[in-house]
Amino acid sequence: IDAAAEIRRFLLTLNSHRPTPYMSKRYYTLLLFFLSISTLANLLQAILHFIARSPISLYDVYIGWYVVTSLIQLATMFLLVQYYRFKRWKWIHITAVVSLVIHAAFGIAAFAMLQYHQLTGWYQPGLTIALVADLLFSVSLLFTKQVWLRLAGWIQGITLLTLLWLINTNGRLDATTYASIIKWATLITSLTPILFFVYFAKERVN
């Protein structure tokens, strides 16, 4: 797959007032590839949360891991945005773009926190904004007729509501319960892209 050429073609379409006339098989292959590695990376991270004796963010290799996985996630989100634009799913497209921009900004801020120990006071507000943006995107999926995407919207929406409630409990939960909920929520979130993968795999065949 000539991934660079495919991405250049998508970038060129951003300057057009009309979406591309078709989604090529190569596009679906590229999207499925990124969904696959994104799912595997997120699943691995969720498993590490369960087996690590201390928070994985404290390990020396975490910063490099965070940068790579964040870039993969942003690339996947960009490809999805292009698909929603092509389908002319207005609200899904708008919420996906907002989520993409917020995640990019939050990713840069989180890197500054990890690498330079700056902007630490902005972590929880930034995380809350990112979760709200993802929640709006999940809600928009509920109005599509596509069963797999609607199911992803329900699962992701419930998980995001749980996380939003959790990070705003202000210490009312004991540390063990808090950590346990985070671990399971992370695991569920890591599996949600599988539903997107099934949907796009079926559409690619059709």
Side-chain angles (χ1 to χ4, degrees), residues 81-82 84-85 89-98 140:
V81 164
Q82 288 298 102
Y84 303 139
R85 178 173 177 267
W89 292 347
K90 182 179 178 181
W91 294 113
I92 296 178
H93 179 239
I94 291 174
T95 54
V97 169
V98 171
S140 70

Side-chain angles (χ1 to χ4, degrees), residues 42 45-46 49 159 181-191:
N42 290 336
Q45 181 165 308
H49 276 293
T159 307
I181 295 175
I182 286 288
K183 290 176 181 178
W184 283 105
T186 302
L187 179 61
I188 294 171
T189 303
S190 70
L191 296 175

Side-chain angles (χ1 to χ4, degrees), residues 54-121:
S54 56
I56 61 174
S57 59
L58 299 179
Y59 290 87
D60 293 337
V61 298
Y62 180 75
I63 295 178
W65 170 265
Y66 176 80
V67 171
V68 172
T69 54
S70 295
L71 290 175
I72 292 172
Q73 182 184 22
L74 291 173
T76 306
M77 294 174 70
F78 174 75
L79 293 172
L80 289 171
V81 164
Q82 288 298 102
Y83 176 82
Y84 303 139
R85 178 173 177 267
F86 166 77
K87 284 289 189 177
R88 300 185 183 181
W89 292 347
K90 182 179 178 181
W91 294 113
I92 296 178
H93 179 239
I94 291 174
T95 54
V97 169
V98 171
S99 181
L100 173 60
V101 172
I102 290 176
H103 271 277
F106 180 72
I108 295 171
F111 175 77
M113 296 176 206
L114 291 168
Q115 182 71 19
Y116 305 109
H117 306 290
Q118 298 180 6
L119 305 176
T120 53

Side-chain angles (χ1 to χ4, degrees), residues 132-189:
V132 170
D134 287 345
L135 180 60
L136 292 175
F137 169 68
S138 299
V139 171
S140 70
L141 290 177
L142 302 181
F143 296 94
T144 180
K145 296 180 181 179
Q146 310 302 325
V147 176
W148 291 104
L149 296 183
R150 199 160 64 241
L151 180 59
W154 276 111
I155 296 175
Q156 189 168 281
I158 293 172
T159 307
L160 290 168
L161 282 173
T162 303
L163 289 173
L164 282 168
W165 166 78
L166 187 65
I167 65 175
N168 289 285
T169 53
N170 296 322
R172 289 193 294 270
L173 294 177
D174 62 89
T176 302
T177 302
Y178 185 93
S180 180
I181 295 175
I182 286 288
K183 290 176 181 178
W184 283 105
T186 302
L187 179 61
I188 294 171
T189 303

Side-chain angles (χ1 to χ4, degrees), residues 37-48 186-187 190-191 194:
I37 59 176
S38 178
T39 302
L40 290 174
N42 290 336
L43 182 58
L44 177 59
Q45 181 165 308
I47 293 173
L48 290 175
T186 302
L187 179 61
S190 70
L191 296 175
I194 294 176

